[in-house]
Amino acid sequence: METHHLSRDRYGEMAQTTGGFDPFGLALAKDRLKLDRRQTVILQVNTGLLCNQTCRHCHLDAGPGRTENLDAQTVEAIVAYAARARFEVIDITGGAPE
């Protein structure tokens, strides 16, 4: 459960924190940093966790025993979104590396 409370930041000003940590935007502001979002040019789609290999280095823990894959409705939604957004690159991952 997330908790919110007020505490004094390192400048002595009152700041709302979440679970004992400053919200990301506040942490940036303290160091006078700013992030500007640019247009997204790459869409990465992972088709699922079913794979014909079991690699120890796989950060998704994919393998032949996994059954999670995109359903047809989700694939259609991704294709429609990609057409609207006009990405420069669409990177499709998931399953066997070949």
Side-chain angles (χ1 to χ4, degrees), residues 51-85:
C51 182
N52 65 348
Q53 298 181 15
T54 305
C55 302
R56 283 192 271 173
H57 64 272
C58 181
H59 69 282
L60 297 173
D61 196 27
R66 301 294 297 265
T67 59
E68 304 92 334
N69 283 310
L70 292 179
D71 60 32
Q73 182 180 1
T74 303
V75 171
E76 289 172 9
I78 291 169
V79 169
Y81 176 65
R84 289 191 314 271

Side-chain angles (χ1 to χ4, degrees), residues 3-81:
T3 60
H4 299 274
H5 63 276
L6 292 176
S7 63
R8 295 211 178 266
D9 66 15
R10 66 181 178 189
Y11 302 107
E13 298 174 4
M14 292 302 289
Q16 182 179 8
T17 60
T18 305
F21 296 94
D22 289 338
F24 185 65
L26 182 59
L28 289 175
K30 284 181 183 178
D31 293 319
R32 295 177 177 81
L33 297 173
K34 182 179 177 185
L35 290 179
D36 290 321
R37 185 181 187 282
R38 297 184 185 149
Q39 181 178 354
T40 303
V41 295
I42 300 172
L43 173 65
Q44 186 176 49
V45 178
N46 186 298
T47 61
L49 300 177
L50 177 63
C51 182
N52 65 348
Q53 298 181 15
T54 305
C55 302
R56 283 192 271 173
H57 64 272
C58 181
H59 69 282
L60 297 173
D61 196 27
R66 301 294 297 265
T67 59
E68 304 92 334
N69 283 310
L70 292 179
D71 60 32
Q73 182 180 1
T74 303
V75 171
E76 289 172 9
I78 291 169
V79 169
Y81 176 65

